[in-house]
Amino acid sequence: MTDTATISKGSDWGYAPAPESTDHIRLKDRYGLFIDGKFTPPASGKYFKTINPANEKVLAEVAEAGEKDVDRAVQAARKAHDKVWRKMSGRERGKYVYRIARIIQERARELAVVESMDGGKPIRESRDVDIPLSAAHFFYHAGWADKLSYAFPGKKVSPVGVAGQIIPWNFPLLMVAWKVAPALACGNTVVLKPAETTPLTALLFAEICQEAGLPDGVFNLVTGAGATGAALVKHPDLDKVAFTGSTDVGKAIQKALAGRGTKLTLELGGKAAHIIFEDATIDQAVEGIINGIYFNQGHVCCAGSRLFVQESVEEEVIAKLKARMETLIVGDPLDKNTDIGAINSRAQCDRINDYLKIGVEEGAELFQTRCSVPGKGFWVRPSFFTKVAQSHRIVQEEIFGPVLAIQTFRTLNEALEKANNTPYGLSGGVWTDKGSKIFKVTRGIRAGVIWANTFNKFDPTSPFGGYKESGYGREGGRHGLKPYVELT
Ligand code: NAI
Ligand code: MG
């Protein structure tokens, strides 16, 4: 008798656990600030804890930077800019940036595991998306360092100076790369503040800068929460501020900088329209919907969080979507089978659950998968709402979780009108067999990035950024160099 003959239909066909090993991870109990090339304690002596959101265990204590520390970091960055980095040839600067890229590749496995432990994202994503893209951003920008005069022909290109950069918790190391790589390649020095729930890969990045022999003070790291970020923005000696995060904090930063010459770029929230036409390849489109909203637990500013399905294929799309969603595995982020990891923090989990309640109260119909979730940690099952109206809060506001709002449309113009009925303008998506429809939709939606027959694809050569309340300025590509150069 062969093995297959013994398999009964009632067998449990679930995947066996496939946990990534953590044996090679050596986290310190306590991390200081990284200022002028050295790890140093904060002036206040205060530390905060960063936890693993999948089991609520403390991973390490991290220094809380106050005004004095921020000032020290900005002074170090100023000195390094004026005395060393600005004067160095692009070719020499490029060598350091290449070196950083290579060390990220060498330490990729460690970085991926720490990213998943600190922030809750599935190892498959940190291993295959976050870390390789972070290295790619450094490689790409290293290549620009000695070619800036080709990027801006006929212009004299100089660095802007000292950049204060504040990043969120959804793509911790990748946001370090998006911010730091163009800044350094263009001759600027940096004071970076990572998010308070995910500081660990930024701290490992500081170690990487040491390993690369980056001159002291070129990259400085101040850890802490919103108050540390506000202290950085307030510092009078910054030439440039770059922020990625919520629209509310973006607006507060814009106000704080009003009347100052400090340059500012903002990459804020989104509520992307994802449009499926009846002529699309429905099975592929369903994969696109899944990737659009359930990638990284939906903690994605460009997530396809508003789905518009042409009325004639509504039933088919929803039936296939439900079936596909039931196969999604929610659980241990370090398990290689996991599709959806832990929600980044208790606060974010509460926000998402509040929106689930709001949606039901507004009269929408909620669907959630039946998968099991672990007892400890922060989890939300993949969810969507149907019977939603344009005015519903779940349609207008960024939820930043695995929650999709589904609407239908009859004509292309109706789809465009609904898609643009949002305060945001970061991204969008369209699925159709017809090239002409792709052009009509991509021209008709006011958003910085629009994907056609795919979603959530990123590349360092491609500029990323928004319109309206999604912010301004671009990151990536030649456009992304602009905020970091003075052209004369
Ligand atoms: P947030 O905007 O407060 O956090 C982003 C970063 O800004 C963190 O490093 C934080 O410490 C820092 N920050 C907070 N207050 C600050 C201030 N006054 N001055 C300077 N820096 C400050 O976002 P939060 O509260 O963690 O998440 C709330 C919502 O924001 C999410 O539900 C989501 O809708 C949105 N969000 C959007 C992101 C995006 O990539 N577009 C990223 C993170 C959050
Ligand atoms: Mg954490």
Side-chain angles (χ1 to χ4, degrees), residues 136-168:
H137 267 267
F138 280 98
F139 276 117
Y140 173 76
H141 286 95
W144 273 126
D146 63 350
K147 299 175 197 71
L148 294 171
S149 55
Y150 296 96
F152 305 102
K155 299 278 182 191
K156 182 173 178 291
V157 187
S158 336
V160 172
V162 176
Q165 305 180 321
I166 300 169
I167 55 172

